[in-house]
Coordinates of all heavy atoms in Angstrom, one line a residue:
M1 N 101.7 135.9 67.8 CA 100.7 135.0 67.2 C 100.0 134.2 68.4 O 100.7 133.7 69.3 CB 101.4 134.1 66.3 CG 100.4 133.0 65.8 SD 101.1 132.0 64.5 CE 102.3 131.0 65.3
T2 N 98.7 134.2 68.4 CA 98.0 133.4 69.4 C 97.2 132.3 68.7 O 96.5 132.5 67.7 CB 97.0 134.3 70.1 OG1 97.7 135.4 70.7 CG2 96.3 133.6 71.2
L3 N 97.4 131.1 69.2 CA 96.6 130.0 68.7 C 95.7 129.5 69.8 O 96.1 129.2 70.9 CB 97.6 128.8 68.4 CG 98.6 129.1 67.2 CD1 99.5 127.9 67.1 CD2 97.8 129.3 65.9
Y4 N 94.4 129.4 69.5 CA 93.4 128.8 70.4 C 93.1 127.4 70.0 O 92.3 127.2 69.1 CB 92.2 129.7 70.4 CG 92.4 131.1 70.9 CD1 92.7 132.1 70.0 CD2 92.5 131.4 72.3 CE1 92.9 133.4 70.5 CE2 92.8 132.6 72.7 CZ 93.0 133.7 71.8 OH 93.2 134.9 72.3
T5 N 93.7 126.4 70.6 CA 93.6 125.0 70.2 C 93.8 124.1 71.4 O 94.5 124.5 72.4 CB 94.6 124.7 69.1 OG1 94.4 123.3 68.7 CG2 96.0 125.0 69.5
I6 N 93.3 122.9 71.4 CA 93.5 121.9 72.4 C 94.7 121.0 72.0 O 95.1 120.2 72.8 CB 92.3 121.1 72.7 CG1 91.8 120.3 71.5 CG2 91.2 122.0 73.3 CD1 90.8 119.3 71.8
V7 N 95.2 121.2 70.8 CA 96.3 120.4 70.3 C 97.6 120.8 71.1 O 97.9 122.0 71.2 CB 96.5 120.6 68.8 CG1 97.7 119.8 68.3 CG2 95.3 120.2 68.1
P8 N 98.4 119.9 71.6 CA 99.6 120.3 72.3 C 100.6 121.0 71.5 O 100.7 120.8 70.3 CB 100.2 118.9 72.7 CG 99.0 117.9 72.6 CD 98.1 118.5 71.6
E9 N 101.3 121.9 72.2 CA 102.3 122.8 71.5 C 103.3 121.9 70.8 O 103.8 122.3 69.7 CB 102.9 123.6 72.6 CG 104.0 124.5 72.1 CD 104.6 125.3 73.2 OE1 103.9 125.7 74.2 OE2 105.9 125.5 73.2
E10 N 103.7 120.8 71.3 CA 104.7 119.9 70.7 C 104.3 119.5 69.3 O 105.2 119.2 68.5 CB 105.0 118.7 71.6 CG 105.5 119.0 73.0 CD 104.3 119.3 74.0 OE1 103.3 118.7 73.9 OE2 104.6 120.1 74.9
Y11 N 103.0 119.3 69.0 CA 102.6 118.9 67.7 C 102.5 120.0 66.7 O 102.6 119.8 65.5 CB 101.3 118.2 67.8 CG 101.4 116.9 68.6 CD1 101.0 116.8 69.9 CD2 101.9 115.7 68.0 CE1 101.2 115.6 70.6 CE2 102.1 114.6 68.7 CZ 101.7 114.5 70.0 OH 101.9 113.3 70.7
I12 N 102.3 121.2 67.2 CA 102.3 122.4 66.3 C 103.7 122.9 66.0 O 104.0 123.2 64.8 CB 101.4 123.5 66.9 CG1 100.0 123.1 67.1 CG2 101.5 124.8 66.1 CD1 99.2 124.0 67.9
F13 N 104.5 122.9 67.0 CA 105.9 123.3 66.8 C 106.8 122.1 67.2 O 107.3 122.1 68.3 CB 106.2 124.5 67.7 CG 105.3 125.7 67.5 CD1 104.3 126.0 68.5 CD2 105.3 126.4 66.4 CE1 103.5 127.1 68.3 CE2 104.5 127.5 66.2 CZ 103.5 127.8 67.1
P14 N 107.0 121.2 66.3 CA 107.8 120.0 66.7 C 109.2 120.3 67.0 O 109.8 121.2 66.3 CB 107.6 119.1 65.5 CG 107.3 120.0 64.4 CD 106.6 121.1 64.9
G15 N 109.8 119.7 68.0 CA 111.2 119.9 68.3 C 111.9 118.6 68.1 O 111.8 118.0 67.0
H16 N 112.7 118.2 69.0 CA 113.5 116.9 68.9 C 112.5 115.7 69.1 O 111.8 115.7 70.0 CB 114.5 116.9 70.0 CG 115.9 116.8 69.5 ND1 116.2 116.2 68.4 CD2 117.0 117.2 70.1 CE1 117.5 116.2 68.2 NE2 118.1 116.8 69.2
P17 N 112.5 114.8 68.1 CA 111.6 113.6 68.3 C 111.9 112.8 69.5 O 111.0 112.2 70.1 CB 111.9 112.8 67.0 CG 112.8 113.5 66.2 CD 113.3 114.7 66.9
E18 N 113.2 112.7 70.0 CA 113.5 111.9 71.1 C 112.9 112.6 72.4 O 112.7 111.9 73.4 CB 115.0 111.8 71.3 CG 115.7 111.0 70.2 CD 116.0 111.8 69.0 OE1 116.2 113.0 69.1 OE2 116.1 111.3 67.9
A19 N 112.7 113.8 72.4 CA 112.2 114.5 73.6 C 110.8 114.1 73.9 O 110.4 114.2 75.1 CB 112.3 116.0 73.4
H20 N 110.0 113.7 72.9 CA 108.7 113.3 73.1 C 108.4 111.8 72.8 O 107.3 111.5 72.5 CB 107.7 114.2 72.3 CG 108.0 115.7 72.6 ND1 107.7 116.3 73.8 CD2 108.6 116.6 71.8 CE1 108.1 117.5 73.7 NE2 108.6 117.8 72.5
A21 N 109.4 111.0 72.9 CA 109.3 109.6 72.5 C 108.4 108.8 73.5 O 107.7 107.9 73.1 CB 110.6 108.9 72.5
N22 N 108.3 109.3 74.7 CA 107.5 108.5 75.7 C 106.1 109.1 75.9 O 105.3 108.8 76.8 CB 108.2 108.5 77.1 CG 109.4 107.7 77.1 OD1 109.5 106.8 76.3 ND2 110.3 108.0 77.9
I23 N 105.7 110.1 75.1 CA 104.4 110.7 75.1 C 103.4 109.9 74.3 O 103.7 109.6 73.1 CB 104.4 112.2 74.7 CG1 105.5 113.0 75.5 CG2 103.1 112.9 74.8 CD1 105.2 113.2 76.9
H24 N 102.2 109.6 74.9 CA 101.2 108.8 74.2 C 99.8 109.4 74.3 O 99.5 110.0 75.4 CB 101.2 107.4 74.7 CG 102.5 106.7 74.7 ND1 102.9 106.1 73.5 CD2 103.4 106.5 75.6 CE1 104.1 105.5 73.7 NE2 104.5 105.8 75.0
F25 N 99.0 109.3 73.3 CA 97.6 109.6 73.4 C 96.9 108.4 73.9 O 97.1 107.3 73.4 CB 97.0 109.9 72.0 CG 97.2 111.3 71.6 CD1 98.2 111.7 70.6 CD2 96.4 112.4 72.1 CE1 98.3 113.0 70.2 CE2 96.6 113.7 71.7 CZ 97.6 114.0 70.8
L26 N 96.2 108.5 75.0 CA 95.4 107.4 75.6 C 94.0 107.7 75.7 O 93.6 108.9 75.7 CB 96.0 107.0 76.9 CG 97.5 106.6 77.0 CD1 97.9 106.5 78.5 CD2 97.8 105.4 76.2
N27 N 93.2 106.7 75.8 CA 91.7 106.8 76.0 C 91.4 106.2 77.3 O 91.4 105.0 77.5 CB 91.0 106.2 74.9 CG 89.5 106.6 74.8 OD1 89.0 107.2 75.8 ND2 88.9 106.3 73.7
F28 N 91.1 107.0 78.4 CA 90.8 106.5 79.7 C 89.3 106.6 80.0 O 88.8 107.7 80.2 CB 91.6 107.3 80.7 CG 91.4 106.9 82.1 CD1 92.1 105.8 82.6 CD2 90.5 107.5 83.0 CE1 91.9 105.3 83.9 CE2 90.4 107.1 84.3 CZ 91.1 106.0 84.7
D29 N 88.6 105.5 79.9 CA 87.2 105.5 80.1 C 86.5 106.5 79.2 O 85.5 107.2 79.6 CB 86.8 105.8 81.6 CG 87.1 104.6 82.5 OD1 87.3 103.5 82.0 OD2 87.3 104.8 83.7
G30 N 86.9 106.6 77.9 CA 86.3 107.5 77.0 C 86.8 108.9 77.0 O 86.3 109.8 76.3
I31 N 87.8 109.2 77.9 CA 88.3 110.5 78.0 C 89.7 110.5 77.3 O 90.6 109.8 77.8 CB 88.4 110.9 79.5 CG1 87.1 110.9 80.1 CG2 89.0 112.3 79.6 CD1 87.1 111.1 81.6
P32 N 89.9 111.3 76.3 CA 91.2 111.4 75.7 C 92.2 112.1 76.5 O 91.9 113.3 77.0 CB 90.9 112.1 74.3 CG 89.7 112.9 74.6 CD 88.9 112.2 75.6
I33 N 93.3 111.5 76.7 CA 94.4 112.2 77.5 C 95.7 112.0 76.8 O 95.9 111.1 76.0 CB 94.5 111.6 79.0 CG1 94.8 110.1 78.9 CG2 93.2 111.8 79.7 CD1 95.1 109.5 80.3
I34 N 96.7 112.8 77.2 CA 98.1 112.7 76.8 C 98.8 112.3 78.1 O 98.7 113.0 79.1 CB 98.6 114.0 76.2 CG1 97.8 114.2 74.9 CG2 100.1 113.8 75.9 CD1 98.2 115.5 74.2
A35 N 99.6 111.2 78.0 CA 100.4 110.7 79.1 C 101.8 110.4 78.7 O 102.0 110.0 77.6 CB 99.6 109.5 79.7
E36 N 102.7 110.5 79.7 CA 104.1 110.2 79.5 C 104.3 108.8 80.2 O 103.9 108.6 81.4 CB 105.0 111.2 80.1 CG 106.4 110.9 80.0 CD 107.3 112.0 80.6 OE1 106.8 112.8 81.4 OE2 108.5 111.9 80.4
Q37 N 104.9 107.9 79.5 CA 105.2 106.6 80.0 C 106.4 106.7 80.9 O 107.5 107.0 80.5 CB 105.4 105.6 78.9 CG 105.5 104.2 79.4 CD 105.5 103.2 78.3 OE1 105.5 103.5 77.1 NE2 105.4 101.9 78.6
S38 N 106.2 106.4 82.3 CA 107.2 106.5 83.2 C 108.1 105.2 83.3 O 109.3 105.3 83.3 CB 106.7 106.8 84.6 OG 105.4 107.1 84.7
D39 N 107.4 104.1 83.3 CA 108.1 102.8 83.2 C 107.2 101.9 82.3 O 106.2 102.4 81.7 CB 108.4 102.2 84.6 CG 107.2 101.9 85.4 OD1 106.1 101.8 84.9 OD2 107.4 101.9 86.7
H40 N 107.4 100.6 82.4 CA 106.7 99.7 81.5 C 105.2 99.6 81.8 O 104.4 99.4 80.9 CB 107.3 98.3 81.5 CG 106.9 97.5 80.4 ND1 107.2 97.8 79.0 CD2 106.2 96.3 80.4 CE1 106.7 96.8 78.3 NE2 106.1 95.9 79.0
Y41 N 104.8 99.8 83.0 CA 103.4 99.6 83.4 C 102.7 100.9 84.0 O 101.7 100.7 84.6 CB 103.3 98.5 84.5 CG 103.8 97.2 83.9 CD1 105.0 96.6 84.4 CD2 103.2 96.5 82.9 CE1 105.5 95.4 83.9 CE2 103.7 95.4 82.4 CZ 104.8 94.8 82.9 OH 105.3 93.6 82.4
S42 N 103.3 102.0 83.9 CA 102.7 103.2 84.5 C 102.9 104.4 83.6 O 103.9 104.6 82.9 CB 103.2 103.5 85.9 OG 104.5 103.9 85.8
F43 N 101.8 105.3 83.6 CA 101.8 106.5 82.8 C 101.5 107.7 83.7 O 100.7 107.6 84.6 CB 100.8 106.4 81.7 CG 101.1 105.4 80.6 CD1 100.7 104.1 80.8 CD2 101.7 105.8 79.5 CE1 100.9 103.2 79.8 CE2 102.0 104.9 78.5 CZ 101.6 103.6 78.6
R44 N 102.1 108.8 83.5 CA 101.8 110.1 84.2 C 101.0 111.0 83.3 O 101.4 111.3 82.2 CB 103.1 110.8 84.6 CG 102.9 112.0 85.5 CD 104.2 112.6 86.0 NE 105.1 113.0 85.0 CZ 105.0 114.1 84.3 NH1 104.1 115.0 84.6 NH2 105.9 114.5 83.4
V45 N 99.9 111.4 83.7 CA 99.0 112.2 82.9 C 99.6 113.6 82.7 O 100.0 114.3 83.7 CB 97.6 112.3 83.6 CG1 96.7 113.2 82.8 CG2 96.9 111.0 83.8
E46 N 99.7 114.0 81.5 CA 100.2 115.3 81.1 C 99.1 116.3 81.0 O 99.2 117.4 81.5 CB 101.0 115.2 79.8 CG 102.3 114.5 79.9 CD 103.4 115.3 80.6 OE1 103.4 116.5 80.5 OE2 104.1 114.6 81.4
R47 N 98.1 115.9 80.2 CA 96.9 116.8 80.0 C 95.7 116.0 79.5 O 95.8 114.9 79.0 CB 97.3 117.9 79.0 CG 97.6 117.5 77.6 CD 97.8 118.6 76.7 NE 98.8 119.5 77.2 CZ 100.0 119.8 76.7 NH1 100.3 119.3 75.5 NH2 100.8 120.7 77.2
I48 N 94.6 116.6 79.7 CA 93.3 116.0 79.2 C 93.0 116.8 77.9 O 93.0 118.0 77.9 CB 92.2 116.2 80.3 CG1 92.5 115.5 81.6 CG2 90.8 115.7 79.7 CD1 91.6 115.9 82.7
V49 N 92.7 116.0 76.9 CA 92.4 116.6 75.6 C 91.0 116.4 75.3 O 90.6 115.5 74.6 CB 93.3 115.9 74.5 CG1 93.1 116.6 73.2 CG2 94.7 115.9 74.9
S50 N 90.1 117.2 75.8 CA 88.7 117.1 75.7 C 88.0 118.5 75.7 O 88.6 119.4 76.3 CB 88.1 116.2 76.8 OG 86.7 116.1 76.7
T51 N 86.9 118.6 75.1 CA 86.1 119.8 75.1 C 85.0 119.7 76.1 O 84.2 120.6 76.2 CB 85.6 120.2 73.7 OG1 84.8 119.1 73.2 CG2 86.8 120.5 72.8
D52 N 84.8 118.5 76.7 CA 83.7 118.3 77.7 C 84.2 118.7 79.1 O 85.1 118.1 79.6 CB 83.3 116.8 77.7 CG 82.1 116.6 78.6 OD1 81.6 117.5 79.3 OD2 81.6 115.4 78.6
P53 N 83.6 119.7 79.7 CA 84.0 120.2 81.0 C 83.9 119.1 82.1 O 84.7 119.2 83.0 CB 83.1 121.4 81.3 CG 82.5 121.8 80.0 CD 82.5 120.6 79.1
A54 N 83.0 118.2 81.9 CA 82.8 117.1 82.9 C 84.1 116.2 83.0 O 84.4 115.7 84.1 CB 81.6 116.3 82.6
H55 N 84.8 116.1 81.9 CA 86.0 115.3 81.9 C 87.1 115.8 82.8 O 87.9 115.1 83.3 CB 86.5 115.1 80.5 CG 85.7 114.3 79.6 ND1 85.8 114.3 78.3 CD2 84.6 113.5 79.9 CE1 84.9 113.4 77.7 NE2 84.2 112.9 78.7
F56 N 87.1 117.1 83.0 CA 88.1 117.7 83.9 C 87.8 117.6 85.4 O 88.6 117.9 86.2 CB 88.3 119.2 83.5 CG 88.8 119.4 82.2 CD1 88.0 119.5 81.1 CD2 90.2 119.5 82.0 CE1 88.5 119.7 79.8 CE2 90.7 119.7 80.7 CZ 89.9 119.8 79.6
L57 N 86.6 117.1 85.7 CA 86.2 116.9 87.1 C 86.4 115.4 87.5 O 86.1 115.1 88.7 CB 84.8 117.3 87.3 CG 84.5 118.8 87.0 CD1 83.0 119.1 87.1 CD2 85.3 119.7 87.9
V58 N 86.8 114.5 86.6 CA 86.9 113.1 87.0 C 88.2 112.9 87.8 O 89.3 113.3 87.4 CB 87.0 112.3 85.7 CG1 87.3 110.8 86.0 CG2 85.8 112.4 84.8
E59 N 88.0 112.3 89.0 CA 89.1 112.1 89.9 C 90.0 111.0 89.4 O 89.5 110.0 88.8 CB 88.6 111.8 91.3 CG 87.9 113.0 92.0 CD 87.6 112.6 93.4 OE1 88.3 111.8 94.0 OE2 86.6 113.2 93.9
G60 N 91.3 111.2 89.6 CA 92.2 110.1 89.2 C 92.9 110.4 87.9 O 93.9 109.7 87.6
I61 N 92.4 111.3 87.1 CA 93.1 111.6 85.8 C 93.6 113.1 85.8 O 93.8 113.6 84.7 CB 92.3 111.2 84.6 CG1 91.0 112.0 84.6 CG2 92.1 109.8 84.5 CD1 90.3 112.0 83.2
E62 N 93.8 113.7 86.9 CA 94.3 115.1 86.9 C 95.7 115.0 86.4 O 96.4 114.1 86.5 CB 94.3 115.6 88.4 CG 93.0 115.7 89.0 CD 92.7 114.4 89.9 OE1 93.6 113.5 90.0 OE2 91.6 114.3 90.4
P63 N 96.1 116.1 85.8 CA 97.5 116.2 85.3 C 98.5 115.9 86.5 O 98.3 116.5 87.6 CB 97.7 117.6 84.8 CG 96.3 117.9 84.3 CD 95.4 117.3 85.3
G64 N 99.4 115.0 86.3 CA 100.4 114.6 87.3 C 100.0 113.3 88.0 O 100.8 112.7 88.6
S65 N 98.8 112.8 87.8 CA 98.4 111.6 88.3 C 99.1 110.4 87.6 O 99.4 110.5 86.4 CB 96.9 111.4 88.2 OG 96.2 112.3 88.8
I66 N 99.3 109.3 88.4 CA 99.9 108.1 87.8 C 98.9 107.1 87.5 O 98.1 106.8 88.4 CB 101.0 107.6 88.8 CG1 102.0 108.6 89.1 CG2 101.6 106.3 88.2 CD1 102.9 109.1 88.0
L67 N 98.8 106.6 86.3 CA 97.9 105.5 85.9 C 98.7 104.3 85.8 O 99.7 104.2 85.1 CB 97.2 105.9 84.6 CG 96.5 107.2 84.5 CD1 95.9 107.4 83.1 CD2 95.3 107.2 85.5
S68 N 98.2 103.2 86.4 CA 98.8 101.9 86.3 C 98.1 101.1 85.2 O 96.9 101.1 85.1 CB 98.8 101.1 87.6 OG 99.5 101.8 88.6
V69 N 98.9 100.4 84.5 CA 98.4 99.5 83.4 C 98.7 98.1 83.7 O 99.9 97.8 84.0 CB 99.0 100.0 82.0 CG1 98.5 99.1 80.9 CG2 98.7 101.4 81.7
K70 N 97.8 97.2 83.6 CA 98.0 95.8 83.8 C 98.8 95.2 82.6 O 98.6 95.7 81.5 CB 96.7 95.1 84.1 CG 96.0 95.5 85.3 CD 94.8 94.7 85.5 CE 94.1 95.1 86.8 NZ 92.9 94.3 87.1
Q71 N 99.5 94.2 82.9 CA 100.3 93.6 81.8 C 99.5 93.1 80.7 O 99.9 93.1 79.5 CB 101.2 92.5 82.4 CG 102.2 91.9 81.4 CD 103.1 90.9 82.0 OE1 103.0 90.6 83.2 NE2 104.0 90.4 81.2
S72 N 98.3 92.6 81.0 CA 97.4 92.0 80.0 C 97.0 93.1 78.9 O 96.7 92.7 77.8 CB 96.1 91.4 80.6 OG 95.4 92.4 81.3
F73 N 97.0 94.4 79.3 CA 96.6 95.4 78.3 C 97.8 95.7 77.3 O 97.5 96.2 76.3 CB 96.2 96.7 79.0 CG 94.9 96.6 79.7 CD1 94.9 96.8 81.1 CD2 93.8 96.2 79.1 CE1 93.7 96.7 81.8 CE2 92.6 96.1 79.8 CZ 92.5 96.4 81.1
L74 N 99.0 95.4 77.7 CA 100.1 95.7 76.9 C 100.4 94.6 75.8 O 101.1 94.9 74.9 CB 101.4 95.9 77.7 CG 101.3 97.1 78.7 CD1 102.5 97.1 79.6 CD2 101.1 98.4 77.9
N75 N 99.8 93.5 75.9 CA 100.1 92.4 74.9 C 99.1 92.5 73.8 O 98.2 93.1 73.7 CB 99.9 91.0 75.6 CG 100.9 90.8 76.7 OD1 102.0 91.3 76.6 ND2 100.6 90.0 77.6

């Protein structure tokens, strides 16, 4: 079976809920991304969830990049 979708595999075939507890959908400057929370103030980009090719060329949000979040955004 082949699925052509931008939806992550974890949401189509759910596994253990604890395995994906730190995964979050975020909106970075209008670009939807999926990121894993590494600690309280930083996220590691897992994937870009967009159909706009220009979003994949934005520097700083490549998969594997670390995004820092200021404390004021978490309150």
Side-chain angles (χ1 to χ4, degrees):
M1 173 173 71
T2 303
L3 295 175
Y4 296 97
T5 179
I6 61 170
V7 178
E9 177 182 326
E10 298 85 33
Y11 292 101
I12 297 171
F13 306 108
H16 239 330
E18 295 85 25
H20 307 291
N22 291 335
I23 304 294
H24 302 280
F25 277 104
L26 301 175
N27 195 348
F28 182 81
D29 289 338
I31 303 171
I33 62 171
I34 296 177
E36 179 181 12
Q37 189 169 7
S38 354
D39 61 22
H40 195 64
Y41 300 111
S42 65
F43 292 86
R44 185 174 60 83
V45 177
E46 290 288 323
R47 63 177 52 120
I48 300 170
V49 187
S50 177
T51 56
D52 186 354
H55 289 167
F56 293 88
L57 300 175
V58 176
E59 290 186 30
I61 60 165
E62 301 92 4
S65 299
I66 303 294
L67 302 176
S68 296
V69 180
K70 293 183 180 179
Q71 186 175 3
S72 60
F73 291 120
L74 296 175
N75 294 334

